[in-house]
Amino acid sequence: MNLNLEKLRSDEGRYLLAIESSCDETAAAVIDRERHVLSNIVATQNELHERFGGVVPEIASRAHLERILPVIDEALRKANVTLAEIGAVAVTTHPGLVGSLLVGLTAAKTLALVLDVPLLAINHIEAHIYACRMAAGRDVFPAVGFVVSGGHSNLYDCRSPVEFELLGSTTDDAAGEAFDKVAQILGLEYPGGPQIEKIGSQGRPDAVNFPRPFLNEERLDFSFSGLKTAVLYAAKGTPGARIQPPPLTPQRVADLAASFQAAAVEVLVGKCEQALRKTGRSTLLVGGGVAANGVFRQSLAEMAHRRNVQLIIAEREHCTDNAAMGALGWELWERGMTSPLDLDVTPGLVRKR
Ligand code: KG4
Ligand code: ZN
């Protein structure tokens, strides 16, 4: 395809349009070459998935179809940028839900074709880490990168924005998934992470001493399903046991939420510390939905201070899914890593490069 570099070099091609639809948020953003975010529109689908307690893929892709064009329109309008001024289109192609990814990719390909501009394939995991580069406003690589979201708990050695080596990941549930499932056990609203944080602030983090899976092991992997089951038993009773658990009063729910959060955060921060030690890196980048959690952010800050490492956490609004972190597209473009128009989604692919 014609890369249209002339357009990118000219004033008209100053802007990147980024599109994200990997899960249940339909998002578009306009970002200039200096990585300034001119607009960042996110249409959430929480109300559609709430009663199911999790994302229903078919409902998500249908909702993306309805929202994608209005969201792109709104992003351009808010940025005060016309389509003619767009120099490249970046879109999440992996990992994610196949139907959801296809909606964003089809919109992006159509625009790239019609506007005759480069198409850039965004790795959603790398984008969550790139949100830290956006927060810092300068280059932050090399670093240890940690993506803690509803789908991933992945630790990386990041040599550059597009060269990641996986150091460890979850063997079962992702951290955000554990927050969501524990919230469901405790009868809290979906998505559970923010609810656990809110209700947990009224509870005692030491009320129940939940397990800290893998914390004292060398491996940089995570496991959250045992912790989730421990919360289930503490809330509803252990199968076959004669002793009944305390009644699930609002105070008990708050105590269980706070105690679960304390256990999860201790493991997440402990593994970051181990990864820093193992790699010898002096910068830690943390992104993904769970990185919006205040207790986690505070605990990371204390660890970073103690170890004398530079900590950069994505801004709260860039922790959960958004298209502004698709500014990573500029890094791809600068490295000549453009994609052909027959590009396909690769839903299960975590590492491409
Ligand atoms: O990054 P994200 O928007 O989507 C994925 O790519 O997975 O992450 C969503 C996850 C959900 O599991 C949600 O419960 C969790 O992030 N989350 C939080 C908080 N805000 C969102 N978890 C804990 N505390 C929060 N404040
Ligand atoms: Zn995400």
Side-chain angles (χ1 to χ4, degrees):
M1 134 178 217
N2 172 10
L3 290 187
N4 209 346
L5 295 181
E6 284 311 314
K7 186 166 183 177
L8 273 165
R9 282 194 202 104
S10 75
D11 260 9
E12 287 169 24
R14 263 185 307 157
Y15 305 110
L16 174 75
L17 172 66
I19 297 171
E20 147 66 31
S21 66
S22 65
C23 191
D24 62 338
E25 329 280 359
T26 318
V30 176
I31 306 121
D32 72 15
R33 224 177 299 188
E34 286 70 47
R35 304 349 180 215
H36 298 130
V37 180
L38 305 187
S39 64
N40 181 29
I41 307 298
V42 182
T44 63
Q45 301 178 7
N46 286 344
E47 73 285 0
L48 300 180
H49 302 285
E50 191 171 7
R51 70 192 166 106
F52 302 101
V55 177
V56 182
E58 187 56 33
I59 293 176
S61 40
R62 282 166 199 246
H64 283 307
L65 261 184
E66 285 166 10
R67 292 158 197 224
I68 191 90
L69 293 180
V71 164
I72 292 172
D73 264 346
E74 178 72 3
L76 291 166
R77 200 189 55 74
K78 210 151 179 202
N80 202 19
V81 164
T82 63
L83 273 179
E85 293 172 290
I86 295 297
V89 181
V91 62
T92 312
T93 53
H94 62 287
L97 302 170
V98 61
S100 294
L101 289 166
L102 275 171
V103 175
L105 179 60
T106 307
K109 276 185 185 177
T110 309
L111 284 168
L113 179 70
V114 170
L115 301 174
D116 193 18
V117 297
L119 180 66
L120 303 157
I122 298 290
N123 175 331
H124 185 65
I125 304 274
E126 290 174 355
H128 269 304
I129 293 295
Y130 201 71
C132 302
R133 153 71 179 81
M134 304 293 284
R138 60 181 161 79
D139 187 23
V140 291
F141 298 91
V144 165
F146 192 24
V147 179
V148 215
S149 68
H152 302 93
S153 314
N154 292 4
L155 268 165
Y156 293 96
D157 186 15
C158 310
R159 285 188 289 281
S160 80
V162 294
E163 289 168 286
F164 286 22
E165 185 194 331
L166 186 66
L167 298 171
S169 62
T170 184
T171 54
D172 40 57
D173 294 346
E177 202 178 349
F179 271 86
D180 293 337
K181 287 179 177 172
V182 165
Q184 205 173 15
I185 291 168
L186 299 179
L188 304 175
E189 279 169 32
Y190 173 85
Q195 289 301 313
I196 296 268
E197 181 174 6
K198 187 168 154 220
I199 307 286
S201 68
Q202 312 294 320
R204 285 190 302 121
D206 59 354
V208 181
N209 185 19
F210 286 125
R212 269 74 170 155
F214 295 176
L215 183 59
N216 296 317
E217 291 182 32
E218 268 302 298
R219 61 198 285 199
L220 292 173
D221 291 324
F222 302 89
S223 168
F224 289 106
S225 69
L227 172 56
K228 173 196 67 191
T229 307
V231 178
L232 175 69
Y233 290 173
K236 312 251 163 101
T238 310
R242 283 209 214 112
I243 306 163
Q244 289 298 309
L248 263 186
T249 59
Q251 187 55 51
R252 175 74 175 161
V253 168
D255 284 346
L256 291 177
S259 300
F260 159 75
Q261 184 173 250
V265 164
E266 195 177 328
V267 172
L268 295 173
V269 176
K271 289 292 162 193
C272 286
E273 190 166 5
Q274 271 175 262
L276 286 163
R277 209 181 303 132
K278 197 164 175 175
T279 58
R281 298 282 189 215
S282 55
T283 302
L284 174 64
L285 311 174
V286 188
V290 180
N293 185 285
V295 173
F296 182 40
R297 295 172 85 94
Q298 178 63 32
S299 180
L300 280 168
E302 285 161 14
M303 183 273 286
H305 182 71
R306 182 163 32 81
R307 284 194 66 82
N308 197 23
V309 299
Q310 172 178 236
L311 169 70
I312 302 162
I313 313 178
E315 281 174 30
R316 272 199 171 83
E317 60 167 328
H318 294 162
C319 283
T320 44
D321 288 347
N322 66 88
M325 60 195 189
L328 173 63
W330 281 123
E331 302 284 343
L332 299 176
W333 181 78
E334 283 162 9
R335 289 166 173 77
M337 296 165 82
T338 56
S339 292
L341 279 178
D342 63 356
L343 175 70
D344 207 348
V345 299
T346 42
L349 196 61
V350 177
R351 286 288 329 119
K352 195 180 82 173
R353 291 182 275 275

